[in-house]
Amino acid sequence: MNLLTTAIIVVVVWGLVALGSWLWVFLSAKTSAVLLKPIDFTKKISNENGQIIDVRESAAYKRSHIMGARNIPMANFSQGKSGLRKDRDIFLYDERLRDVVRVGKSLKKQGYHKSKIFILRGGFSRYDGKTTK
C-alpha cells in the first residue's frame, strides 16, 4: 500500500468516526430533550415563563449570556444539585451540544419530562436574541 492510499483511508475513517460521534450526540439529545433551532428557541423563551439555564463555566457566563439566564455549570447537574422546578419549562444552552446533552439526560433521570426540556441547537454563539454585553 502506498502513502497516498494510507492517507486516504485514514481521512475516510476519521471522517466516519467524527460523523458517527456527532450523530450519536444528536440522537442522544433528541431522546432526552427537545432540540430547537436558534430562532425557535428565541421565540419560545420570549413566550414562556421558563427557566433559562447556561451550563457553561462561570467565566464564559460572566463574559456574556442570554438575558434572564442562570448559570448552573454542568458538574452541578451530575451531582443532582440543579434546584430547578419541575412544573416549568427548562431552556438549556452552552457552547457545544455534547455538554448540554449530558445535562438533559441527567435531568431526565431526575424525573423531569422530556417535553419540558429544550436545548438550543448550535450553542450560544448561534443565539440571536437579547444577551448581556
Side-chain angles (χ1 to χ4, degrees):
M1 212 183 312
N2 65 26
L3 186 59
L4 181 60
T5 305
T6 303
I8 290 171
I9 290 172
V10 168
V11 169
V12 168
V13 168
W14 177 82
L16 290 173
V17 168
L19 177 64
S21 175
W22 178 84
L23 189 59
W24 177 258
V25 169
F26 186 76
L27 292 175
S28 294
K30 292 191 74 80
T31 61
S32 61
V34 177
L35 277 174
L36 294 175
K37 293 179 183 176
I39 188 77
D40 298 327
F41 191 88
T42 303
K43 286 178 185 176
K44 189 136 179 89
I45 64 172
S46 65
N47 294 333
E48 302 282 333
N49 186 20
Q51 306 163 92
I52 307 168
I53 309 299
D54 185 325
V55 301
R56 300 175 299 165
E57 294 301 319
S58 60
Y61 174 80
K62 288 176 185 175
R63 280 193 299 276
S64 183
H65 58 270
I66 294 174
M67 294 295 283
R70 284 175 39 197
N71 181 229
I72 305 175
M74 186 181 71
N76 291 23
F77 288 95
S78 60
Q79 299 168 1
K81 298 179 181 178
S82 68
L84 298 174
R85 293 176 49 177
K86 290 185 179 180
D87 62 330
R88 292 176 56 199
D89 290 344
I90 301 169
F91 298 92
L92 302 171
Y93 72 92
D94 70 347
E95 292 297 337
R96 302 178 331 163
L97 189 58
R98 183 176 308 260
D99 294 338
V100 82
V101 166
R102 289 182 185 149
V103 171
K105 284 182 175 181
S106 177
L107 288 173
K108 195 171 171 197
K109 285 180 184 175
Q110 294 173 35
Y112 293 85
H113 196 271
K114 173 188 169 181
S115 66
K116 291 200 159 285
I117 304 170
F118 301 93
I119 294 176
L120 173 59
R121 188 171 163 184
F124 178 67
S125 61
R126 301 273 316 271
Y127 181 73
D128 56 359
K130 292 182 182 179
T131 63
T132 62
K133 299 180 186 176

